[in-house]
Each structure stands twice: as C-alpha cells, then as structure tokens.
Amino acid sequence: MEKHTATKLFESLSSGIRLDIYRLLVKCGRDGMVAGQIAATLDLPPNNVSFHLKGMNHAGLVTVEQEGRFQRYRANLPQMLELIAYLTEECCAGHPEHCLVPPAESCCPEAARSPTPTSSPES
Amino acid sequence: MEKHTATKLFESLSSGIRLDIYRLLVKCGRDGMVAGQIAATLDLPPNNVSFHLKGMNHAGLVTVEQEGRFQRYRANLPQMLELIAYLTEECCAGHPEHCLVPPAESCCPEAARSPTPTSSPES
DNA sequence: TCAATAATACAAGAACTATTGAAATATAGT
DNA sequence: ACTATATTTCAATAGTTCTTGTATTATTGA
C-alpha cells in the first residue's frame, strides 16, 4: 500500500461523522445502506452525509453501487485489512525481542515461537 | 474505546509526516528514538517534528520518556491494537454470513467455523 | 411530459491544521 | 557560572476542511 493511500484512509476515519458512518456500514455488512438511510439513522443533513461519503469513497474506505435512484454504500473491509497490515508490516522487523505488542496479540509470529534473546534464527 | 479517542488516533495517522514517524517508531520497537534522531532520519526541521510528536503523544499514539536532555519516543502498539478492535468490533455482529472480510482473514471467528448459509460452496 | 423523491454539486464563511523562523527552556560538560 | 546541545514554544501565515443553504441532476411513477 502506498503512503498516500494510507493517509487518505486515516483521514477518512478522523472525523466523528465519518467514523460513525463507517462503523454503521461495518455493522450492516454486505447489506450496506443507501445514503438517505444513513443520513436518517445518524440524524444528519443528507448533503453533509453525501459530502463525507464522497470523500470516503474517493479514499477507498467504502464502495458505492447504484440501485435505481438510490446509492448503496458498503464498508470496504478488505481495504481496511490491507491498511492494518501496512501499519504494522515493519513491526519489530528482524527483532521480535523488541516487539512492543503484548505476546497474547503477537503481531509477529516469531515473537510467539522463538524465545530468541537477540538473534540467531536456526533453521 | 471512546469515539473521540479513536478519531484523535486516526487524525494522528492522517498526515504523511506523522505516518512516517509512527512507522519509524514501530520499526524501532522498544528501543524507540529520540526526537532529534527522528528529525534527522526523516530530514525534517526539529521544531516541526516536535510539533507533530506532541500531537501524537497527546492522542496516545506514542509514548515519551525523558532521558537527560533527550526525549525518547516509542510507538504505543497496545493502543493501536485497541483501535483496530474498536473499528471492527461490530463487524457482521450476529450475522457472520454477511461478513465482508475474506474468510482467509476472518475478522469474526464464527465466519471461519460456520459454513456460509447464503451460498454454500462446501469444502 | 410532469411532479415527487434521492442524491449530489456548488458557494460562502467559520474553524482548523501545517509550516516556518525566531525565541525560550532545560540539561550536560567544562 | 558559561557554553553548547536538545527540544519545545510562540507567532504569523498559508492552506485546508467542515457546515449550511441553495441549486442541480437523475430516476420513478402517473
């Protein structure tokens, strides 16, 4: 993932309204929601919601599909998974012993496997 | 996690400079880096880096520890894991068959367990 | 074609964010 | 105490984003 893509995605999630919209869409799964429904559910002006949805779509955070005169929006979950991978892809690279992630959630498989103190992967 | 906390964290990652800083700190693990080192590595004015680090620290994205006249910054990975959990906590809640996440990465354990009810390509 | 509805586009102003340079604070070593 | 270094703070400015109201586009059904 490119840095620009990542910053746009994060920017999309940095407003309370957009975060509410995204989480609402995550809840709806593949059903998604049409724009007016989203605006009504969150009790926001439709044009404001449309403004934010446009940005979110442009960033790649949501997808949109036309249904007659409705626009159905869905969360783009695969993109989110890529984003998370991008964020942590360099986590403790080559140095699992430096990893800051609690072992229970181990970002890096090596941290769980090897008790190696400083180096020497043997295989 | 509260919405305000989440938006502040996302806002922290929505600038190229702050994303660079964060990923640099993720790479360094628990060694972290002192402010001047970060500025030098990314070839940025120290006061600008300080400005961004202050915001990142305030948002809870990084931690800081004083070392004599140096300030050592570290990525706050546990906070990031909480953020990710918050984002996806409602994912396909109660409706794993609606989950948008590819099965390989299954956000929700149920999706992996239960064979898809809507269309069943059996193993 | 006409009216109604869904959604987006546009424009204006307030509010916020980022960058720069200069100044201030604090620690370490002499 | 004095100087050098590390970092932060402050002020000014340029640029961007958010919200509101209004207007426009597009689809549906009579």
Side-chain angles (χ1 to χ4, degrees), chain A residues 35-36 47 50 69 73:
Chain A
N47 60 347
S50 181
R69 63 183 139 168
Y73 288 90

Side-chain angles (χ1 to χ4, degrees), chain B residues 13-67:
Chain B
L13 292 163
S14 71
S15 111
I17 289 182
R18 288 191 298 263
L19 186 55
D20 283 343
I21 292 174
Y22 183 74
R23 283 170 34 98
L24 183 57
L25 290 177
V26 167
K27 257 191 267 193
C28 296
R30 73 166 62 103
D31 289 347
M33 276 180 100
V34 302
Q37 238 183 327
I38 297 171
T41 303
L42 299 178
D43 195 25
L44 291 166
N47 61 346
N48 192 12
V49 169
S50 180
F51 168 81
H52 288 295
L53 281 170
K54 182 185 175 183
M56 295 166 79
N57 181 48
H58 191 247
L61 191 64
V62 301
T63 62
V64 61
E65 187 188 6
Q66 182 146 13
E67 274 182 13

